[in-house]
Amino acid sequence: MRDDVTDDGPGGPAARRRSFLKYTGALGAAAALPPVLAGCSAGPQSTNDTGDGGSGKDRTLTAVIGYGNDGSWDPTQTASAFAMAANNHVYEGLLDTAPISRTPYPALATELPKDPNATTWRFTLRAGATFHDGKPVTADDVVFVFDRILDPGTQTLAKGFFVNWLKEARKVDARTVELRLRFPFPDGLARLTLAKVMPRHVFSRPGAWDDAIKGLAVGSGPYRQTAHHPKSNTTFEAFAAYNGPRRPAFRRMNWLTIVDAAPRVAKISGTGAGAQIADNIPYANIARLEQGGMKVGGGAGMNNLFLMFNTRHKPFDDVRVRQALHHAIDTEKMVRVALKGHGKPATSFLDEGNPGYRRARTVYDHDPEKARALLKAAGVEGLKIEILAVNVSWIVDCLPTVKSSWDAIGVETTLAPQETTAVFTKMDQKQDYQVVAAASNPNQFGLDADLVMHYNYGPENLWMRYTRWADHPVAKALFRDMDRATREPDPARKRTMIQDYIDVVAEQAVLYPVVHNELMTAWDPRALSGIRPQPYPGLNLLQARWA
């Protein structure tokens, strides 16, 4: 297989719900994730190159990730930006997807199914594929991972992306597997990248899934993990036995986790820069980095500031109150002042660049008079709100606009930003709250609208448990419409059905984006080529090269 195939261009026991939330990070990739208990590899604990760094083409690539590396590394349940990006280099699916277009290409499998609309997909594994410990990749390993994902007694994040359309995975012989679908679902091909194939002989051992959460990563991908230090760095080296379609270009990689913006930017700035690439670049630093010779590129997608309401806390059970608070926000000012122009007010749950986008029937333009009228119609006066918010830097920058907008319509507003784990621990403990402001980016899982919406909405969805809305009659009807859309075989009809139920989501505004913003990546073009900024957190360096 060629390196350029489907290019984007140049360049165990059931987990308890609290444990599941702790280790997946309910925010997806857009916020720092909670710490794990310990590292899983030995080596120097450092945010600099390990060893001498090498020289020339053998030197170490140093990357800076603006998110923590201390979330779960279990591919079946992680939503950690750092871990998901790293796992794309360490593991393979039967199919993987190009990082920008998200077009599927054969990874461990030798080819795509000839008929995507078939209800049985047969895959032959790549000859000579081996895990990083030298053991061969077999059909047993593939079935092992899908059995975990589909197990009704095991709570994993990946389950929500597969269980409604995939019936089972079956071994045919040592190098052949079949996936049996409940109904034709060609969109499932791109989702196979979310089922990273893991060695059964490693992860079937007692306690191994806990080790995976803490950072144990053994895959068949082009890079193998060599050391892992939570809150510091994770290192990788090229896997010499890799024979797949994305050959490693760097002998070694050192990924630093630097969540704070100033030291992250400093690490790639100036003549003494210690890194060649960094994600999550603050808008205010773009010009200075470019003046210093760095290339800065953006990716617009689903990254968003959303509001989530507790519908069991009056008056937020009234849709008119939720709508009023959205209409009150001066989103144009938020984009101009907080996002420095790198964003757009939400006109649908989906961002405008999504292939399934259609302007929603309800759009929350800045309309203070309408907001006041809606509150009056709901019989609400003297409303006082505490916004429980995550302390992600760009979210904190946006919060003053929310406060001033709500204060302007007579809603006394208090801001309460705090650590992400603190925010969601309160909700996991079912503590009372009024409104949460946080960040999310479902695009880390994929682009298809069905996947994006099921990440946020559904009868068993964790977000819906937070909102206490899943038992509402409108919600029950919505979930039925979502299920029908998933099963719809005609692509055009399916798209319309999804757009129609997104109109319901927009009207109800239970969990809904305020703005979609652009994510920025900076790199040294004198050192690296083949970089494509992606519209979701993390980095994909599978097609990057030394310049």
Side-chain angles (χ1 to χ4, degrees), residues 329-351:
I329 299 173
D330 190 344
T331 50
E332 294 288 353
K333 177 183 177 182
M334 183 181 289
V335 169
R336 184 176 67 253
V337 175
L339 303 181
K340 311 300 183 188
H342 293 277
K344 290 185 177 182
T347 56
S348 167
F349 198 98
L350 302 176
D351 65 284

Side-chain angles (χ1 to χ4, degrees), residues 205-541:
R205 297 185 308 220
W209 290 113
D210 288 337
D211 291 338
I213 287 169
K214 298 172 187 176
L216 175 65
V218 182
S220 61
Y223 294 93
R224 70 178 191 91
Q225 185 196 82
T226 52
H228 175 58
H229 308 291
K231 299 184 181 296
S232 175
N233 69 314
T234 304
T235 62
F236 311 87
E237 70 177 15
F239 178 41
Y242 179 74
N243 66 349
R246 293 287 187 264
R247 305 283 179 134
F250 308 105
R251 183 176 178 183
R252 291 185 295 270
M253 298 193 298
N254 184 24
W255 287 23
L256 315 179
T257 170
I258 306 179
V259 176
D260 293 339
R264 183 168 66 253
V265 172
K267 197 69 178 178
I268 59 168
S269 301
T271 56
Q276 295 85 37
I277 187 169
D279 76 341
N280 196 19
I281 298 301
Y283 307 123
N285 295 104
I286 294 173
R288 180 165 67 87
L289 287 169
E290 290 179 334
Q291 290 167 4
M294 301 295 285
K295 176 73 173 177
V296 184
M302 271 295 294
N303 208 62
N304 67 88
L305 161 64
F306 67 86
L307 295 180
M308 180 170 64
F309 294 92
N310 179 359
T311 62
R312 298 278 176 87
H313 188 123
K314 291 184 179 297
F316 308 110
D317 59 331
D318 193 320
V319 65
R320 294 169 295 186
V321 174
R322 302 193 296 266
Q323 291 176 340
L325 293 171
H326 271 280
H327 273 301
I329 299 173
D330 190 344
T331 50
E332 294 288 353
K333 177 183 177 182
M334 183 181 289
V335 169
R336 184 176 67 253
V337 175
L339 303 181
K340 311 300 183 188
H342 293 277
K344 290 185 177 182
T347 56
S348 167
F349 198 98
L350 302 176
D351 65 284
E352 294 182 14
N354 188 283
Y357 169 83
R358 182 184 75 190
R359 184 179 172 90
R361 188 172 58 222
T362 303
V363 175
Y364 294 102
D365 297 320
H366 181 218
D367 193 338
E369 290 305 315
K370 185 171 185 178
R372 292 188 186 96
L374 285 165
L375 289 177
K376 183 177 180 180
V380 174
E381 295 180 356
L383 182 59
K384 297 180 180 181
I385 296 178
E386 179 182 84
I387 303 177
L388 185 61
V390 300
N391 64 349
V392 177
S393 58
W394 71 270
I395 295 289
V396 173
D397 291 342
C398 289
L399 290 177
T401 301
V402 179
K403 173 176 168 53
S404 63
S405 297
W406 287 0
D407 287 345
I409 63 167
V411 176
E412 184 179 327
T413 308
T414 302
L415 303 178
Q418 52 197 269
E419 290 289 338
T420 297
T421 49
V423 172
F424 286 91
T425 294
K426 288 180 180 180
M427 289 187 295
D428 188 43
Q429 293 173 345
K430 299 183 179 179
Q431 295 183 25
D432 191 34
Y433 76 97
Q434 295 173 292
V435 184
V436 164
S440 182
N441 194 332
N443 281 170
Q444 67 186 50
F445 304 110
L447 289 179
D448 80 80
D450 179 272
L451 179 152
V452 167
M453 298 310 298
H454 277 86
Y455 175 68
N456 291 277
Y457 281 83
E460 300 299 324
N461 186 282
L462 296 171
W463 295 106
M464 292 297 96
R465 295 182 192 179
Y466 287 150
T467 65
R468 284 82 152 168
W469 189 64
D471 291 332
H472 192 283
V474 175
K476 291 180 177 180
L478 169 67
F479 302 151
R480 289 193 295 270
D481 289 344
M482 293 176 71
D483 185 61
R484 282 194 289 267
T486 298
R487 294 172 176 271
E488 174 56 47
D490 179 76
R493 174 62 181 155
K494 178 175 183 171
R495 175 173 174 164
T496 298
M497 293 170 71
I498 292 173
Q499 292 170 333
D500 287 347
Y501 76 63
I502 288 177
D503 284 340
V504 177
V505 170
E507 179 185 51
Q508 292 298 311
V510 172
L511 184 158
Y512 202 70
V514 176
V515 290
H516 293 105
N517 73 316
E518 193 174 18
L519 291 174
M520 311 304 294
T521 301
W523 68 97
D524 186 348
R526 297 158 296 191
L528 298 176
S529 65
I531 301 298
R532 297 286 304 279
Q534 61 190 36
Y536 49 96
L539 298 171
N540 188 306
L541 301 172

Side-chain angles (χ1 to χ4, degrees), residues 163-248:
V163 72
N164 59 341
W165 60 272
L166 181 60
K167 185 177 181 180
E168 65 174 343
R170 188 180 71 88
K171 174 183 176 180
V172 177
D173 58 41
R175 286 185 50 222
T176 309
V177 293
E178 282 186 349
L179 301 185
R180 297 184 176 182
L181 284 60
R182 300 182 186 278
F183 48 84
F185 192 67
D187 288 343
L189 292 176
R191 297 191 191 186
L192 294 183
T193 188
L194 301 174
K196 299 301 187 187
V197 177
M198 307 170 72
R200 182 176 181 271
H201 64 273
V202 172
F203 291 100
S204 62
R205 297 185 308 220
W209 290 113
D210 288 337
D211 291 338
I213 287 169
K214 298 172 187 176
L216 175 65
V218 182
S220 61
Y223 294 93
R224 70 178 191 91
Q225 185 196 82
T226 52
H228 175 58
H229 308 291
K231 299 184 181 296
S232 175
N233 69 314
T234 304
T235 62
F236 311 87
E237 70 177 15
F239 178 41
Y242 179 74
N243 66 349
R246 293 287 187 264
R247 305 283 179 134

Side-chain angles (χ1 to χ4, degrees), residues 127-165:
T130 59
F131 289 113
H132 297 155
D133 62 2
K135 299 292 179 60
V137 181
T138 71
D140 288 326
D141 301 303
V142 178
V143 173
F144 168 71
V145 170
F146 279 105
D147 282 352
R148 173 174 168 81
I149 291 171
L150 298 176
D151 181 4
T154 302
Q155 177 74 334
T156 63
L157 181 62
K159 179 182 294 184
F161 302 137
F162 289 94
V163 72
N164 59 341
W165 60 272

